[in-house]
Amino acid sequence: MRRQLPPDVIKTVPGGYVLEVDPSTIDAWRFEKAVEQCRSLERSKHLAEARRLAEEGLSLWRGAALPDLAESDA
């Protein structure tokens, strides 16, 4: 993975590494923001715009959402 990313993205920290990227480049972050905006639009009765934004947010996902995360009983 380190060879695939620009060198300024990976930072060495005690105990490992940190990826420093613009959050807007991460689909999960963009999805969460779309959900927040969609809810706000629904509350203000802008339903057509809320639907458009919901569809845009859903289009970010290809396949199962976060499939590599283990299921938890918590």
Side-chain angles (χ1 to χ4, degrees):
M1 184 164 116
R2 291 173 53 185
R3 289 185 214 134
Q4 300 297 320
L5 296 170
D8 61 334
V9 171
I10 300 176
K11 306 295 181 199
T12 303
V13 296
Y17 302 96
V18 172
L19 293 177
E20 292 186 351
V21 298
D22 179 353
S24 67
T25 64
I26 300 169
D27 57 359
W29 183 89
R30 290 173 31 213
F31 179 79
E32 287 179 8
K33 292 299 171 192
V35 168
E36 290 173 12
Q37 292 174 323
C38 185
R39 288 180 177 155
S40 176
L41 288 165
E42 286 178 319
R43 284 191 297 273
S44 61
K45 305 298 184 207
H46 293 97
L47 301 181
E49 180 66 10
R51 179 185 172 130
R52 185 200 62 76
L53 193 57
E55 289 172 349
E56 183 179 306
L58 288 172
S59 75
L60 294 170
W61 293 110
R62 294 167 294 285
L66 308 172
D68 296 334
L69 294 180
E71 290 189 31
S72 171
D73 291 334

